Amino acid sequence: MTHGPTQPPRSAGYVDLGDADLNARIADGLAAVEKLLHDELSKGEDFLVDKVLHLIRAGGKRFRPMMALLASEYGPKAGSDEVIRAAAVVEITHLATLYHDDVMDEAELRRGVESANSRWDNSVAILAGDILLAHASRLMSGLGRETVFHFAETFGDLVTGQMRETVGPGDSDPIEHYTKVIREKTGVLIASAGYLGALHGGASDEHIDALKRLGEAIGIVFQIVDDIIDIYSDPDESGKTPGTDLREGVFTLPVLHALQEDTEVGEELRGLLTGPLTDDASVERALELLARSTGREKALADVHRYLAEAEEQVSRLPDNEVTRALGQLAGYTVRRVG
Ligand code: GRG
């Protein structure tokens, strides 16, 4: 069986970074990452290759490779082979987590196509995620000890975050628990893109640290905004069904704030949200109560705190077109909720 080239996803590389030369450099970098992804993930037996190429071909924003490429711009080796390889390692790791996450969530769709667990079955999806980690390990073995150690920590954080979510907050503060989970599940891999891009681009230690922290803050903002959209979006505008997290029994930040309210709304929500919501009427009622609660405004206030953290990291970087583009990216994630 032959495996045709992966088409660059329609969404990747189409972000206007505000500077024509920078747009061109990042687009070239993303094309090189795409080629490496396809070459690396085509290695191995045919019965594995079609499964691992499934989600790469389906698209995705390639946000993490873009972050790595932008971070590499702060050193003399911007967009070098090592940077491309590091960007591919981060995207492959992201992809592995998506395969595994979809099994845990019993998701039917991913990137607009059938999830691997739905198209094949859970065993296939888990093994596809595992072989992706083998590809990521092979690629990173050429990037030196510091990168391998960093990735061991990153894998550990991703799995810790997933396990923390699975076991739940127990007696701990549910908002602190939520914040730890999103830092570990979403923040660390975007932080990793910033760190590895800057490291392999040859940036200074100060800039590597700023780009790692910036990636983490952007990841946290991105996740809270997604969680706000899940509760409050107009389905005609967002194309998403509101309340998906509630149906799965996942109580995200706006819900957690609303549940703490000392009001009639808070009281009714505490009675309603004792587990996953299985019937449409209960979901409707919970969404109505959440709309009347302070959940949205409190979660947005948290978003702005993390945005301020992102801006603080941006201020540690030199004033140039790359820094302006990174500042815009952080702001862009928030504009989705106004
Ligand atoms: C396999 C290392 C490993 C870990 C297993 C399952 C798990 C532990 C962790 C789950 C981590 C996870 C799926 C976090 C959600 C991250 C997230 C925001 C996904 C969506 O990212 P986008 O919007 O997706 O960038 P695209 O499709 O555009 O790439």
Side-chain angles (χ1 to χ4, degrees), residues 60-61 64 94 97 100-101 111 159 162 185-186 222-223:
K61 295 182 283 297
R64 293 156 190 80
H94 169 54
T97 71
H100 285 188
D101 199 48
R111 293 181 163 172
V159 176
Q162 186 64 45
K185 281 187 64 178
T186 308
F222 179 82
Q223 189 61 62

Side-chain angles (χ1 to χ4, degrees), residues 48-270:
L48 279 168
V49 173
D50 62 334
K51 275 88 183 173
V52 296
L53 289 181
H54 174 65
L55 280 189
I56 274 283
R57 286 193 167 125
K61 295 182 283 297
R62 304 291 192 266
F63 181 72
R64 293 156 190 80
M66 186 166 75
M67 179 75 195
L69 290 166
L70 283 167
S72 81
E73 290 276 329
Y74 292 91
K77 293 183 284 172
S80 62
D81 284 353
E82 287 77 15
V83 169
I84 301 301
R85 194 178 267 243
V89 166
V90 176
E91 184 66 14
I92 293 173
T93 306
H94 169 54
L95 207 59
T97 71
L98 299 182
Y99 276 84
H100 285 188
D101 199 48
D102 287 345
V103 171
M104 298 187 71
D105 290 352
E106 299 175 26
E108 288 177 8
L109 282 178
R110 172 63 73 176
R111 293 181 163 172
V113 299
E114 266 184 304
S115 60
N117 44 298
S118 177
R119 167 139 182 213
W120 293 282
D121 59 35
N122 282 351
S123 302
V124 164
I126 292 167
L127 292 167
D130 292 344
I131 198 79
L132 281 163
L133 293 178
H135 287 294
S137 305
R138 187 186 301 111
L139 278 181
M140 88 180 72
S141 68
L143 290 175
R145 198 181 160 281
E146 213 172 339
T147 300
V148 174
F149 179 78
H150 168 80
F151 251 89
E153 300 281 302
T154 303
F155 286 151
D157 284 345
L158 287 163
V159 176
T160 303
Q162 186 64 45
M163 185 71 93
R164 195 186 300 284
E165 183 175 273
T166 302
V167 300
D171 292 333
S172 68
D173 179 77
I175 292 185
E176 262 177 45
H177 174 263
Y178 167 90
T179 308
K180 280 186 184 159
V181 168
I182 64 167
R183 190 184 296 279
E184 290 160 340
K185 281 187 64 178
T186 308
V188 293
L189 203 50
I190 303 179
S192 198
Y195 171 80
L196 288 179
L199 178 74
H200 291 288
S204 67
D205 287 349
E206 165 76 4
H207 292 164
I208 294 173
D209 184 64
L211 288 153
K212 183 178 178 199
R213 289 170 191 264
L214 174 62
E216 182 173 286
I218 290 179
I220 292 173
V221 166
F222 179 82
Q223 189 61 62
I224 301 177
V225 167
D226 237 35
D227 292 343
I228 294 175
I229 289 172
D230 183 71
I231 303 285
Y232 297 100
S233 71
D234 174 345
D236 292 337
E237 273 176 34
S238 69
K240 296 186 180 180
T241 313
T244 307
D245 292 331
L246 292 175
R247 284 175 208 273
E248 288 167 4
V250 176
F251 300 153
T252 56
L253 193 56
V255 180
L256 295 174
H257 279 305
L259 280 170
Q260 288 187 350
E261 249 183 56
D262 191 14
T263 58
E264 276 180 26
V265 164
E267 204 176 315
E268 192 177 336
L269 273 172
R270 283 188 288 279

